[in-house]
Amino acid sequence: MIIYLHGFASAGFGAKAQKFLEYFEEEIITPTLPTIPNLAIATLEQLIEAFLNRDIKVSLIGSSLGGYYALYLANKYDLKAVLINPAVNPCITLDENREYEDDFVINYYDRSRFEFNQSHINSLKNYEVGFIKKPENFLTLLQEGDEVLDYEEAASKLEETNLHIEEGGNHSFVAIEKYFRKVDTFLNS
C-alpha cells in the first residue's frame, strides 16, 4: 500500500493527490492529515502499523511538508519513500514564510482556516532526521524553480538518495505524472 502525504495547508484531495490516485488506483491512499504535526505523525504511524501488522508492504510518497514526514517515517520503519520537493527545514521555512495573521492559515484545497502557531512549528523538530539509515530507500524529485523551498537545501541533505533535479518547474512539481512509471518501478523494486 502506498500512502500519499500532502504538503502544508493542503489535503488528500488536492490536484497532485488526484493524479496519483488515477495512476495507482487501489494501490494508494491519500488521507487528509491533521494540521497539527504531532497528530499527523500519530495518524500516519497508526496507518503504517495497521498495514504492517497485516503483512501489507507500505511505501510513502510525500510532497513538501509531507516529504519531511515521509523522510522521518520511512527512516523509522525502514520503508521506501518518494520525496517530491520535500521540506528539509520546515521549522525555519514555515517560520520565515509566515504570511498569515493571528496564527491562522488558509487551506489551499477548501479555503478553510486553521490555527498554526509557533508551538506547532517547534514540534516539527521532533521529526527531524539527522542520519538517513538507508539512502537507497529514497527517491528524491526536485525542481529548481520551486518558489517556496530552496531545492539546494534538499539536494544537499538528500544527496545520497536516488536524487533527480529538474530545471524549471515550481513547488507543486510541474508534470509530476511523467515520473509515475519511475516512481512505480522504484517502489516495487
Side-chain angles (χ1 to χ4, degrees):
M1 180 58 62
I2 302 167
I3 305 172
Y4 175 82
L5 290 63
H6 62 77
F8 180 72
S10 190
F13 299 103
K16 195 174 333 163
Q18 293 305 305
K19 289 178 183 179
F20 277 103
L21 273 169
E22 287 172 20
Y23 184 85
F24 288 99
E25 297 176 340
E26 70 279 348
E27 296 176 52
I28 191 168
I29 59 172
T30 62
T32 296
L33 301 173
T35 57
I36 299 170
N38 295 341
L39 295 179
I41 292 293
T43 299
L44 290 164
E45 288 174 336
Q46 289 173 8
L47 279 170
I48 290 166
E49 290 172 14
F51 287 124
L52 293 176
N53 287 337
R54 291 181 179 92
D55 292 322
I56 298 171
K57 178 185 167 194
V58 176
S59 302
L60 306 172
I61 298 174
S63 177
S64 191
L65 184 59
Y68 181 77
Y69 293 160
L71 176 61
Y72 169 77
L73 293 163
N75 209 48
K76 177 179 179 176
Y77 291 100
D78 190 20
L79 307 174
K80 285 200 166 189
V82 177
L83 312 176
I84 304 165
N85 284 338
V88 293
N89 297 307
C91 297
I92 295 168
T93 307
L94 287 171
D95 197 32
E96 287 177 349
N97 294 316
R98 288 179 69 145
E99 297 177 1
Y100 39 94
E101 298 178 17
D102 301 325
D103 294 331
F104 282 91
V105 179
I106 303 295
N107 181 287
Y108 298 118
Y109 175 70
D110 66 3
R111 309 304 299 160
S112 62
R113 289 171 28 112
F114 65 93
E115 184 175 9
F116 198 81
N117 58 42
Q118 193 61 49
S119 69
H120 297 124
I121 292 171
N122 293 342
S123 73
L124 289 167
K125 293 175 187 167
N126 297 322
Y127 311 110
E128 189 170 326
V129 173
F131 174 73
I132 300 173
K133 296 175 191 173
K134 292 186 177 176
E136 65 273 14
N137 278 355
F138 297 92
L139 170 62
T140 305
L141 304 174
L142 303 175
Q143 286 189 330
E144 291 179 358
D146 188 333
E147 72 281 7
V148 176
L149 301 172
D150 182 352
Y151 84 93
E152 290 177 333
E153 286 181 358
S156 177
K157 178 164 183 110
L158 302 165
E159 67 184 344
E160 294 182 17
T161 68
N162 187 352
L163 179 62
H164 295 270
I165 302 173
E166 185 176 285
E167 288 184 13
N170 61 29
H171 185 62
S172 66
F173 205 99
V174 173
I176 187 63
E177 55 276 2
K178 72 182 178 184
Y179 283 94
F180 285 174
R181 289 185 72 173
K182 179 182 263 322
V183 167
D184 195 6
T185 301
F186 173 77
L187 294 178
N188 288 303
S189 63

Short mmCIF file of all heavy atoms in Angstrom, two decimals, residues 48-71:
data_model
loop_
_atom_site.label_atom_id
_atom_site.label_comp_id
_atom_site.label_asym_id
_atom_site.label_seq_id
_atom_site.Cartn_x
_atom_site.Cartn_y
_atom_site.Cartn_z
N ILE A 48 0.46 3.08 9.13
CA ILE A 48 1.59 2.24 8.75
C ILE A 48 1.59 0.95 9.56
O ILE A 48 1.72 -0.15 9.00
CB ILE A 48 2.93 3.01 8.93
CG1 ILE A 48 3.03 4.13 7.88
CG2 ILE A 48 4.13 2.07 8.84
CD1 ILE A 48 4.12 5.15 8.15
N GLU A 49 1.45 1.07 10.86
CA GLU A 49 1.48 -0.11 11.71
C GLU A 49 0.30 -1.04 11.45
O GLU A 49 0.46 -2.27 11.49
CB GLU A 49 1.55 0.30 13.18
CG GLU A 49 2.90 0.92 13.53
CD GLU A 49 2.97 1.54 14.92
OE1 GLU A 49 2.07 1.28 15.75
OE2 GLU A 49 3.94 2.29 15.17
N ALA A 50 -0.86 -0.50 11.13
CA ALA A 50 -2.02 -1.34 10.81
C ALA A 50 -1.74 -2.17 9.56
O ALA A 50 -2.04 -3.37 9.52
CB ALA A 50 -3.26 -0.49 10.62
N PHE A 51 -1.15 -1.55 8.53
CA PHE A 51 -0.82 -2.29 7.31
C PHE A 51 0.30 -3.32 7.57
O PHE A 51 0.20 -4.46 7.16
CB PHE A 51 -0.40 -1.35 6.18
CG PHE A 51 -1.53 -0.58 5.57
CD1 PHE A 51 -1.50 0.81 5.53
CD2 PHE A 51 -2.62 -1.23 5.02
CE1 PHE A 51 -2.54 1.53 4.95
CE2 PHE A 51 -3.67 -0.52 4.44
CZ PHE A 51 -3.63 0.86 4.42
N LEU A 52 1.35 -2.88 8.25
CA LEU A 52 2.46 -3.79 8.51
C LEU A 52 2.03 -4.98 9.36
O LEU A 52 2.50 -6.11 9.13
CB LEU A 52 3.62 -3.04 9.19
CG LEU A 52 4.34 -1.98 8.33
CD1 LEU A 52 5.40 -1.26 9.15
CD2 LEU A 52 4.93 -2.60 7.07
N ASN A 53 1.14 -4.75 10.32
CA ASN A 53 0.64 -5.86 11.15
C ASN A 53 -0.16 -6.87 10.36
O ASN A 53 -0.37 -8.00 10.82
CB ASN A 53 -0.17 -5.32 12.33
CG ASN A 53 0.71 -4.66 13.38
OD1 ASN A 53 1.90 -4.94 13.47
ND2 ASN A 53 0.13 -3.76 14.16
N ARG A 54 -0.64 -6.46 9.18
CA ARG A 54 -1.37 -7.37 8.29
C ARG A 54 -0.47 -7.89 7.17
O ARG A 54 -0.96 -8.40 6.17
CB ARG A 54 -2.59 -6.65 7.71
CG ARG A 54 -3.65 -6.35 8.74
CD ARG A 54 -4.85 -5.66 8.10
NE ARG A 54 -5.88 -5.39 9.05
CZ ARG A 54 -6.02 -4.27 9.75
NH1 ARG A 54 -5.15 -3.29 9.58
NH2 ARG A 54 -7.00 -4.11 10.60
N ASP A 55 0.84 -7.71 7.34
CA ASP A 55 1.83 -8.12 6.34
C ASP A 55 1.59 -7.48 4.98
O ASP A 55 1.81 -8.10 3.94
CB ASP A 55 1.88 -9.65 6.21
CG ASP A 55 2.44 -10.30 7.46
OD1 ASP A 55 3.39 -9.73 8.04
OD2 ASP A 55 1.93 -11.36 7.85
N ILE A 56 1.15 -6.24 4.99
CA ILE A 56 0.97 -5.47 3.76
C ILE A 56 2.17 -4.52 3.63
O ILE A 56 2.46 -3.75 4.54
CB ILE A 56 -0.35 -4.67 3.78
CG1 ILE A 56 -1.54 -5.63 3.87
CG2 ILE A 56 -0.45 -3.77 2.56
CD1 ILE A 56 -2.87 -4.94 4.12
N LYS A 57 2.87 -4.63 2.51
CA LYS A 57 4.02 -3.75 2.24
C LYS A 57 3.54 -2.30 2.17
O LYS A 57 2.52 -2.01 1.55
CB LYS A 57 4.68 -4.15 0.93
CG LYS A 57 5.85 -3.28 0.54
CD LYS A 57 6.37 -3.66 -0.84
CE LYS A 57 7.32 -2.60 -1.33
NZ LYS A 57 7.61 -2.71 -2.75
N VAL A 58 4.28 -1.41 2.81
CA VAL A 58 3.94 0.01 2.84
C VAL A 58 5.06 0.83 2.20
O VAL A 58 6.24 0.60 2.46
CB VAL A 58 3.71 0.50 4.29
CG1 VAL A 58 3.43 2.00 4.32
CG2 VAL A 58 2.59 -0.27 4.96
N SER A 59 4.67 1.77 1.36
CA SER A 59 5.58 2.75 0.77
C SER A 59 4.95 4.12 0.96
O SER A 59 3.73 4.24 1.12
CB SER A 59 5.78 2.49 -0.72
OG SER A 59 6.27 1.20 -0.95
N LEU A 60 5.77 5.15 0.90
CA LEU A 60 5.29 6.50 1.10
C LEU A 60 5.66 7.39 -0.08
O LEU A 60 6.71 7.22 -0.69
CB LEU A 60 5.90 7.11 2.38
CG LEU A 60 5.72 6.31 3.67
CD1 LEU A 60 6.54 6.94 4.79
CD2 LEU A 60 4.26 6.21 4.05
N ILE A 61 4.78 8.34 -0.38
CA ILE A 61 5.07 9.42 -1.31
C ILE A 61 4.72 10.70 -0.56
O ILE A 61 3.59 10.86 -0.10
CB ILE A 61 4.24 9.34 -2.60
CG1 ILE A 61 4.55 8.05 -3.36
CG2 ILE A 61 4.50 10.56 -3.48
CD1 ILE A 61 3.66 7.81 -4.58
N GLY A 62 5.70 11.58 -0.41
CA GLY A 62 5.45 12.81 0.34
C GLY A 62 5.87 14.04 -0.43
O GLY A 62 6.94 14.07 -1.05
N SER A 63 5.02 15.04 -0.39
CA SER A 63 5.27 16.30 -1.09
C SER A 63 5.42 17.42 -0.06
O SER A 63 4.58 17.55 0.84
CB SER A 63 4.11 16.60 -2.03
OG SER A 63 4.30 17.83 -2.67
N SER A 64 6.47 18.22 -0.20
CA SER A 64 6.71 19.37 0.66
C SER A 64 6.77 18.95 2.13
O SER A 64 7.61 18.13 2.50
CB SER A 64 5.65 20.44 0.39
OG SER A 64 5.99 21.65 1.03
N LEU A 65 5.89 19.44 2.99
CA LEU A 65 5.91 19.02 4.39
C LEU A 65 5.62 17.52 4.49
O LEU A 65 6.16 16.84 5.35
CB LEU A 65 4.90 19.82 5.22
CG LEU A 65 4.89 19.53 6.73
CD1 LEU A 65 6.26 19.80 7.36
CD2 LEU A 65 3.81 20.34 7.43
N GLY A 66 4.81 17.00 3.58
CA GLY A 66 4.59 15.56 3.53
C GLY A 66 5.87 14.80 3.22
O GLY A 66 6.06 13.67 3.67
N GLY A 67 6.78 15.42 2.49
CA GLY A 67 8.09 14.83 2.23
C GLY A 67 8.93 14.77 3.50
O GLY A 67 9.66 13.81 3.73
N TYR A 68 8.81 15.80 4.32
CA TYR A 68 9.51 15.82 5.61
C TYR A 68 8.99 14.69 6.50
O TYR A 68 9.76 13.94 7.09
CB TYR A 68 9.27 17.18 6.27
CG TYR A 68 9.94 17.38 7.61
CD1 TYR A 68 11.31 17.64 7.69
CD2 TYR A 68 9.21 17.35 8.79
CE1 TYR A 68 11.92 17.86 8.91
CE2 TYR A 68 9.81 17.57 10.01
CZ TYR A 68 11.18 17.83 10.07
OH TYR A 68 11.79 18.05 11.29
N TYR A 69 7.67 14.54 6.55
CA TYR A 69 7.07 13.46 7.31
C TYR A 69 7.48 12.09 6.74
O TYR A 69 7.78 11.16 7.48
CB TYR A 69 5.55 13.55 7.31
CG TYR A 69 4.94 14.73 8.04
CD1 TYR A 69 3.64 15.13 7.75
CD2 TYR A 69 5.63 15.44 9.01
CE1 TYR A 69 3.04 16.18 8.42
CE2 TYR A 69 5.04 16.51 9.68
CZ TYR A 69 3.74 16.88 9.39
OH TYR A 69 3.15 17.92 10.05
N ALA A 70 7.47 11.97 5.42
CA ALA A 70 7.82 10.70 4.77
C ALA A 70 9.27 10.32 5.07
O ALA A 70 9.56 9.14 5.29
CB ALA A 70 7.58 10.79 3.26
N LEU A 71 10.16 11.29 5.06
CA LEU A 71 11.56 11.02 5.38
C LEU A 71 11.67 10.45 6.80
O LEU A 71 12.32 9.42 7.03
CB LEU A 71 12.39 12.30 5.24
CG LEU A 71 13.87 12.19 5.63
CD1 LEU A 71 14.60 11.17 4.76
CD2 LEU A 71 14.54 13.56 5.52
#
